[in-house]
Amino acid sequence: MSVMKRLSLIFRSKANNALDKMEDPRETLDYSYQRQLELLQKVRRGVADVATSRKRVELQINQIEAQSRKLEEQGRKALGVGREDLAREALTRRGSLQTQIADLRVQHDNLQAEEEKLTTASHRLQAKVDSFRTRKETIKATYTAAEAQTRINEAFSGISEEMGDVGLAIQRAEDKTASMQARAGAIDELLASGALDDFSGQRGDDIQAELDRMGGGHDVELEIARMKAELGQGPAPQGAITPGPAQHQQQPQPQHQQPHHEQPQSNQTQQLRQPGEGL
């Protein structure tokens, strides 16, 4: 295959594919129906033309027959007055008119037969056009319903162009949300481990975190010892932390504790607090 033939084949295939995408069966059916209506109109016009010609021939026949009858009367009158020569001339002309009438009758019969054929063809074509119109509307309705069903199925399955764009937008939003959540979690972990500095005013380092953990554990032990002393299950701890104002209000001092125990507890508390006040 030569290059030109291949190019021609490729061009025709591309053009055919483009035409298939552009073609709408409903528009094609409407155009075909319009063409059939035009053809039916031409057939009807032909029937009308043939009928007009037939009518014109009939008028000519009637006129010639009237002339023939007139010549016959004139020939009789000529014979009545003894003018045989005039009577012979009138009859001769009448014979010529009879020949024309015979020819016109032949044309009339032909035109009438042609008119009947065209009329029959017109009726058949009218029936075909009516049938095509019904079938056309049925096909158009079926095609429209199938097209709507296809679009609905594409929308449900998410393969349509519009739903595909919506799905991609949702996917991008979910990806961005997951990325931001992962980033926020990573930053929280880095702030908690001390790898990043917190500039919001709550700065902490490894030493402070260790001191907080030690202080928290010691406070728990002192609180347990103090509660045991209140319940009479043991002596008061020497390093117990003095309760705050709220604790004084909620938990009154047991009466069995001696006042002289409070002074060492207060001194010991002050000794424990002094290192913390410098932090």
Side-chain angles (χ1 to χ4, degrees), residues 16 19 32 39 41 73 92 95 151 155 168 221 228:
N16 188 25
L19 290 176
S32 299
L39 179 60
Q41 188 66 24
E73 292 176 0
T92 301
R151 291 181 178 178
L168 291 176
E221 295 297 333
K228 286 182 178 181

Side-chain angles (χ1 to χ4, degrees), residues 64 67-68 71-72 88-102:
I64 294 174
Q67 293 178 3
S68 177
L71 289 173
E72 184 179 1
R88 187 177 289 106
E89 181 66 24
L91 293 176
T92 301
R93 292 182 178 180
R94 180 176 177 274
S96 177
L97 292 176
Q98 290 296 326
T99 303
Q100 294 180 11
I101 290 173

Side-chain angles (χ1 to χ4, degrees), residues 28-34 36 126-139:
T28 304
L29 291 173
D30 290 336
Y31 178 75
S32 299
Y33 178 70
Q34 187 65 30
Q36 291 184 9
Q126 180 66 50
K128 289 183 178 180
V129 170
D130 293 340
S131 177
F132 180 79
R133 180 181 61 185
T134 303
R135 187 177 180 184
K136 172 182 72 71
E137 295 299 330
T138 303
I139 294 174

